[in-house]
């Protein structure tokens, strides 16, 4: 917990607790793997009927929305290998990153979390995450402009309109864009809660790249559980706890 909350390096933790640095590394890796397996086995994808039963009135114009998704990126140390650099470099962040996808139901419960991928992936993260197999034609997803996934998902996609070649958006597209932006703010706030601790807010050293996915999943799990219980809608579902997509 100290490692995640303060983002301390392993040598600093070794000094704090008067143990060898290799012991710190073993403890972090062992507990990260254990909690990843324990918490990742709990499934929280909510059935369509349950989502519809708890649909907030703000989603009346998007009644078939199953999940609101967004991506987050964690900055990491630049690898010395040029090939690895090209794999993890994110043109959006102009830095080497790990990228993950998270999603919430319309009423605020966290229902999906992907594994971390290399920062260079774009729409491919939707395929690799495993979320597509959970969707059906009677559902819809709400995404940001960067998610061009219409041809790979089996359902409807709600996304802010593009300006395209027009000098000005039509009035109805402006209203729709503003409406979707207001509804997507909760998933963005949830991601901010996950990243509010120092380890994920600083450049992640490559020495822990082997366990960063487990650490991210474990800490996100704690934050997501709190968000599900005390989220914007104050709505609880018995099936909402943790998910780590596999």
């Amino acid at each position: 917990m100290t490692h995640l909350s303060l983002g301390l390096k392993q040598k600093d933790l070794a000094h704090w607790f008067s143990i060898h640095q290799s012991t710190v590394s073993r403890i972090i890796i062992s507990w990260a793997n254990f909690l990843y397996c324990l918490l990742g086995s709990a499934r929280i994808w909510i059935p369509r009927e349950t989502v519809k039963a708890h649909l907030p009135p703000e989603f009346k114009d998007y009644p078939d929305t199953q999940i609101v998704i967004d991506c987050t990126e964690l900055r990491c140390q630049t690898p010395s290998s040029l090939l690895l650099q090209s794999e993890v470099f994110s043109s959006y962040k102009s830095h080497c990153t790990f990228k993950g996808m998270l999603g919430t139901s319309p009423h605020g419960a966290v229902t999906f979390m992907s594994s971390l991928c290399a920062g260079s992936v774009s729409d491919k993260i939707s395929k690799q995450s495993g979320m597509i197999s959970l969707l059906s034609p009677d559902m819809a997803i709400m995404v940001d402009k960067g998610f061009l996934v219409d041809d790979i998902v089996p359902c409807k996609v709600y996304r802010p309109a593009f300006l395209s070649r027009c000098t000005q958006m039509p009035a109805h597209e402006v209203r729709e864009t503003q409406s979707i932006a207001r509804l997507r703010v909760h998933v963005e706030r949830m991601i901010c809660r996950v990243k509010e601790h120092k380890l994920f807010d600083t450049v992640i050293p490559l020495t822990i790249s082997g366990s960063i996915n487990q650490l991210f999943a474990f800490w996100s799990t704690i934050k997501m559980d709190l968000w599900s219980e005390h989220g914007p809608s104050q709505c609880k579902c018995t099936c909402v706890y943790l998910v780590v997509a596999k």
Side-chain angles (χ1 to χ4, degrees), residues 27-136:
I27 292 173
I28 292 174
I29 293 174
S30 298
W31 276 100
N33 289 334
F34 170 71
L35 292 170
Y36 179 80
C37 294
L38 178 66
L39 300 175
S41 62
R43 179 185 177 93
I44 62 160
W45 180 263
I46 303 178
R48 173 72 188 130
E49 297 74 19
T50 307
V51 172
K52 193 171 183 178
H54 294 88
L55 192 73
E58 290 79 9
F59 277 81
K60 64 176 188 248
D61 295 329
Y62 312 97
D64 51 354
T65 302
Q66 172 72 17
I67 187 171
V68 184
I69 61 176
D70 201 358
C71 280
T72 184
E73 296 190 61
L74 309 178
R75 293 177 299 158
C76 67
Q77 184 182 353
T78 303
S80 58
S81 168
L82 295 179
L83 178 60
L84 289 178
Q85 284 185 36
S86 64
E87 287 290 327
V88 298
F89 185 81
S90 168
S91 56
Y92 179 70
K93 293 290 185 180
S94 298
H95 200 284
C96 294
T97 64
F98 298 121
K99 182 181 291 185
M101 188 172 73
L102 301 95
T104 66
S105 66
H107 66 274
V110 181
T111 59
F112 188 83
M113 175 184 170
S114 75
S115 299
L116 293 176
C117 302
S120 62
V121 300
S122 53
D123 301 338
K124 292 181 181 179
I125 192 172
S126 301
K127 294 181 181 179
Q128 298 174 3
S129 67
M131 186 190 68
I132 295 178
S133 62
L134 301 172
L135 301 172
S136 59

Side-chain angles (χ1 to χ4, degrees), residues 147-173:
F147 282 85
L148 305 179
V149 295
D150 303 68
D151 58 336
I152 62 175
V153 296
C155 61
K156 188 185 301 182
V157 179
Y158 294 123
R159 181 178 50 239
F162 286 92
L163 187 58
S164 298
R165 298 181 180 178
C166 304
T167 57
Q168 187 174 355
M169 279 188 183
H172 72 279
E173 288 188 355

